[in-house]
Amino acid sequence: MPLVAFPSRFAPASRLLASTALCLALPATQVAAAETTATLFLWANDVDQKLEGGTRLETSSETLIENLEFGLMGALVHRTGPWLYGFDALYADVGKDGDVDVPVRNAVPDGPESIDTALDFTSKTTLVHAYVGHEWYRGPRWAVYATGGVRYTRFETELTVETDTGIARRFETEENLTDATLGVRGHYAYTPHWSSPYILDVGTGSTEVTLHAFTGLSYDWGASSVTAAYRYMKWKLDDGDYLDQVIYEGPLLAFSYRF
């Protein structure tokens, strides 16, 4: 006598449980794993400081390298799913002492381009930037994250200038600046090994405006990468004691490791 199979009301539930078990058994590689990237930078930057009243003091990257007493720059970025959490830090202590020819751009028409001085100069910069980003777009080549964060900058500058006429002037500044930032960052991939990272963000708060721009060329191998890039940072102070504007810019070399 042939057996007759009656449909069971439990069959849909059984199929659902089987499908769920199959999904859970899929390889984990189908979901992007969390990743942390640590980066150290070497930055050969020029410094342009504009004082209240229009006087500008410029220091080339060669001068900074020759007189750098201590410098450290690094970044830590953690990515998980569509989110990223980042932390950038910079500290530099630069000193200069001796008889030098100081370039000066003055607001006075036909003013001297430089003066012979006995110079004693110390500049300390501390920068910390913490931010959160969310993936805005990802394609075969582009990755774009929208970011928001807080940037803290501290400038400490001591400058004594004495001309051959005996006139001396001393500047001491200490600016503590905290700004909220908004920006974008990501990369464009040419090949699996070559890409161009980029960063652009603006901020405001203690300053009238801050700007940070970065782009370059990276080569990846395994968990490591090396990047040659150009970085530009600008602070336009709203109401500083002596400083009106500070610009850091120049080429950099970075090494990153992912874990």
Side-chain angles (χ1 to χ4, degrees):
M1 182 176 177
L3 295 176
V4 179
F6 293 95
S8 171
R9 67 177 184 272
F10 297 107
S14 300
R15 288 196 293 269
L16 179 60
L17 290 174
S19 299
T20 303
L22 179 61
C23 291
L24 293 175
L26 288 175
T29 54
Q30 292 195 2
V31 179
E35 178 182 86
T36 301
T37 303
T39 304
L40 288 177
F41 299 90
L42 292 175
W43 191 14
N45 60 301
D46 295 342
V47 178
D48 183 353
Q49 293 183 325
K50 183 179 178 182
L51 306 181
E52 293 287 348
T55 300
R56 298 177 67 173
L57 299 173
E58 298 172 284
T59 306
S60 67
S61 56
E62 292 82 1
T63 301
L64 284 178
I65 293 173
E66 291 173 0
N67 300 280
L68 183 64
E69 296 181 7
F70 182 79
L72 179 64
M73 185 188 312
L76 196 65
V77 177
H78 178 74
R79 293 179 176 84
T80 176
W83 293 94
L84 68 79
Y85 307 90
F87 181 84
D88 296 338
L90 176 153
Y91 178 77
D93 185 350
V94 180
K96 179 69 176 177
D97 186 7
D99 296 326
V100 295
D101 188 44
V102 178
V104 176
R105 292 189 205 172
N106 204 291
V108 179
D110 302 324
E113 295 183 356
S114 63
I115 54 176
D116 294 326
T117 65
L119 177 70
D120 186 359
F121 172 80
T122 301
S123 178
K124 297 178 182 179
T125 301
T126 304
L127 181 147
V128 175
H129 184 204
Y131 57 88
V132 177
H134 191 271
E135 193 174 90
W136 193 0
Y137 172 80
R138 180 173 292 274
R141 296 185 180 275
W142 284 99
V144 184
Y145 287 84
T147 63
V150 177
R151 178 162 45 230
Y152 168 79
T153 312
R154 180 176 181 175
F155 295 113
E156 297 176 83
T157 303
E158 295 181 7
L159 174 65
T160 301
V161 177
E162 183 176 355
T163 67
D164 52 8
T165 61
I167 300 175
R169 188 171 184 184
R170 180 177 178 84
F171 300 94
E172 290 186 17
T173 70
E174 181 179 316
E175 305 288 350
N176 293 278
L177 312 169
T178 303
D179 295 298
T181 65
L182 290 175
V184 294
R185 66 177 56 211
H187 70 270
Y188 178 83
Y190 303 101
T191 71
H193 295 287
W194 291 96
S195 64
S196 284
Y198 61 88
I199 300 171
L200 178 64
D201 66 60
V202 295
T204 189
S206 298
T207 66
E208 184 177 326
V209 66
T210 63
L211 174 65
H212 175 207
F214 168 101
T215 189
L217 184 64
S218 291
Y219 179 77
D220 297 352
W221 73 97
S224 303
S225 64
V226 63
T227 303
Y230 195 89
R231 189 176 194 180
Y232 177 91
M233 302 190 75
K234 177 180 179 179
W235 296 261
K236 174 64 175 175
L237 278 65
D238 191 17
D239 187 19
D241 293 333
Y242 289 111
L243 289 177
D244 177 63
Q245 178 178 284
V246 179
I247 296 176
Y248 281 19
E249 62 176 318
L252 64 79
L253 188 65
F255 174 78
S256 301
Y257 184 79
R258 296 178 296 277
F259 54 91

